[in-house]
Amino acid sequence: MSKSGPQKGSSLRLVLMVLAAGTGGTLQYGYNLAIMNAPTTFIQTFINETVRERWAVQLEDYQVTLVWTIIVSIFSLGGLAGALITGPMSIHLGRKKCLLVNNVFLMAGALFAVTSRVARSFEMIIISRILVGINCGIGMNVQPMYFGESAPKHLRGAVSLTSAVFAAFGVMLGQVVGLREILGSEPCWQYLLASNAIPGLIQLLTLPWFPESPRYLLIDRGDKEACIKALRTLRGCEVQSSELDEILQEQAETQGMRPRRIWELFPDRSVRWQLISVIIISSAMQLCGNDSVRSPWTEVIYDLSYTQHYVFWMQYLSMACVFTYILSFGMGPAGVTGVLPTEIFNQAARPAAYMIAGSMMWINLFIVGMVFPFLVSGLKEYCFVPFAVVCLLSAVYVGMFLPETQGKTLSVITSEFNRLNFKGQNQKHSVSPTEAQYQLGEVLHSTSL
């Protein structure tokens, strides 16, 4: 094990691990949102034909729309269920194995989707969307946790940021695969819905070659040798003593503590502002309107009765918004939200914190999906003003209450939060701004004569 010192560069092994985990992880979130755009008309026709064959009844347009809305919206409820089981799964299985087992939901969902047409059952599409939602709910939480616990401290933010980049790339990939020339045609819509199995299969073939989260191995399993081996594999060099010391310090601070449950975090004053921060920022991730750019812009614009010149101008603007979304979603709130629980909660509370963060994300995604059409009809061209207000308020909160985490240990970050958690009370451990710039190292003891 090498002496304490800054680690330079990133190993190829770490990059490959990120690709393996992300391909079947958060990429699925964006992909499964995007692929539902192209087959809308085909699936609605399939619903109507299925009901007519079974009961000789012709559905009204609003009834078909209702069933279609259920198919689309049930994805968010599946995601919420996935977020709620993230904690127990990541604790008992580990981060890497949790991602691998998560593909069971994905493959089952793909199987239901691809056989729904032959079985003449639109209910199978609903079941498929629930299962895929569960997969995305787990992946959106476990993947940033795995990345944050596996990356070196100076790369933790950048590596965790890739979770959002994969999600944004999934949106673009889903739009491409959904083109009529590929799988977005009437004969192929069932294969489009099942195409999410391919990224999952890639993950199943590649992720087993990479190690488990080093922090999980040492803190949760108490296996120091496996932790060192995992660090050596991911770094491509000997383990830095400063990095191992940091993990050992977190292990000492959580010694004897069992994993926290969600309901145990809320009355705990020592994590009050950490919890508030996660709830506000996770909610703002959806309430800022980043998913609204996938709304049917053309129909909205025509409903506003603008001139055709203005319609074409707005169509090009909406295309620009999609590309801007791909960049801003990866570089903005989603990227920061993914890594935040890793950096401000200890190992015992981290799974529960991710469950709360994920739940808030999926609940607010559902709310935005239900409310946005009413915002369009009520506010028309000003429908994005409420989202701008959310962005402004979120920025104010982050600027006033969220401490900087870059280059700091968990102990230092916790001390800074404790100034808010125990405001007005004497602190047993307070860290000055100067001390906050230093990392773990050798303690030197002087002697006096």
Side-chain angles (χ1 to χ4, degrees), residues 21-263:
T23 300
T26 52
L27 180 141
Q28 294 286 355
Y29 170 73
Y31 188 82
N32 285 287
L33 283 175
I35 60 174
M36 295 305 292
N37 293 333
T40 300
T41 304
F42 307 137
I43 295 178
Q44 288 178 344
T45 302
F46 173 69
I47 293 169
N48 211 350
E49 291 175 351
T50 302
V51 172
R52 188 167 60 246
E53 289 174 6
R54 289 182 188 174
W55 301 294
V57 174
Q58 181 72 31
L59 292 178
E60 300 289 339
D61 288 343
Y62 79 90
Q63 293 174 316
V64 176
T65 303
L66 177 61
V67 177
W68 170 249
T69 303
I70 293 173
I71 291 174
V72 174
S73 301
I74 206 74
F75 175 75
S76 298
L77 298 182
L80 177 60
L84 292 175
I85 63 175
T86 293
M89 283 186 66
S90 62
I91 292 169
H92 294 293
L93 298 177
R95 302 354 177 190
K96 186 187 82 168
K97 190 178 292 186
C98 183
L99 287 173
L100 292 172
V101 172
N102 188 31
N103 285 288
V104 172
F105 298 106
L106 179 68
M107 297 302 174
L111 182 62
F112 273 101
V114 78
T115 56
S116 60
R117 190 168 190 170
V118 175
R120 307 301 295 171
S121 172
F122 62 84
E123 295 89 350
M124 294 177 68
I125 303 177
I126 297 176
I127 296 173
S128 169
R129 293 294 288 175
I130 293 174
L131 292 171
V132 171
I134 293 173
N135 170 268
C136 293
I138 295 172
M140 287 289 286
N141 289 326
V142 177
Q143 183 179 311
M145 198 188 314
Y146 181 44
F147 286 174
E149 293 179 0
S150 300
K153 184 166 52 183
H154 68 288
L155 291 176
R156 194 172 298 154
V159 171
S160 297
L161 187 70
T162 61
S163 295
V165 174
F166 275 111
F169 179 72
V171 174
M172 185 177 68
L173 183 63
Q175 295 286 358
V176 172
V177 176
L179 292 174
R180 189 176 298 272
E181 292 78 10
I182 303 180
L183 292 179
S185 58
E186 196 280 334
C188 299
W189 62 260
Q190 71 274 24
Y191 302 113
L192 175 62
L193 297 187
S195 62
N196 51 25
I198 297 175
L201 182 61
I202 293 173
Q203 185 184 76
L204 285 173
L205 294 175
T206 57
L207 190 58
W209 296 96
F210 299 95
E212 179 58 84
S213 155
R215 288 178 179 270
Y216 174 80
L217 291 171
L218 180 57
I219 300 175
D220 288 88
R221 292 295 177 88
D223 193 339
K224 185 176 178 180
E225 292 302 319
C227 172
I228 294 174
K229 183 178 179 181
L231 286 171
R232 189 181 294 120
T233 301
L234 291 172
R235 306 295 179 263
C237 62
E238 287 301 313
V239 180
Q240 299 288 331
S241 60
S242 59
E243 183 174 15
L244 186 60
D245 287 344
E246 182 191 348
I247 303 176
L248 287 169
Q249 180 178 343
E250 186 176 346
Q251 182 194 37
E253 291 173 352
T254 58
Q255 190 69 35
M257 294 175 59
R258 59 171 176 76
R260 309 285 295 279
R261 298 180 175 88
I262 287 181
W263 55 87

Side-chain angles (χ1 to χ4, degrees), residues 255-314:
Q255 190 69 35
M257 294 175 59
R258 59 171 176 76
R260 309 285 295 279
R261 298 180 175 88
I262 287 181
W263 55 87
E264 294 175 340
L265 294 185
F266 288 98
D268 188 349
R269 187 165 183 173
S270 66
V271 295
R272 177 175 299 175
W273 279 94
Q274 292 94 315
L275 202 57
I276 292 173
S277 297
V278 164
I279 290 173
I280 290 177
I281 296 175
S282 297
S283 299
M285 173 181 163
Q286 296 298 344
L287 296 180
C288 70
N290 65 70
D291 283 304
S292 300
V293 298
R294 287 190 293 272
S295 298
W297 268 91
T298 304
E299 290 81 355
V300 170
I301 295 167
Y302 275 114
D303 287 344
L304 298 181
S305 303
Y306 290 125
T307 64
Q308 188 163 351
H309 172 78
Y310 193 67
V311 169
F312 282 121
W313 180 81
M314 286 297 288

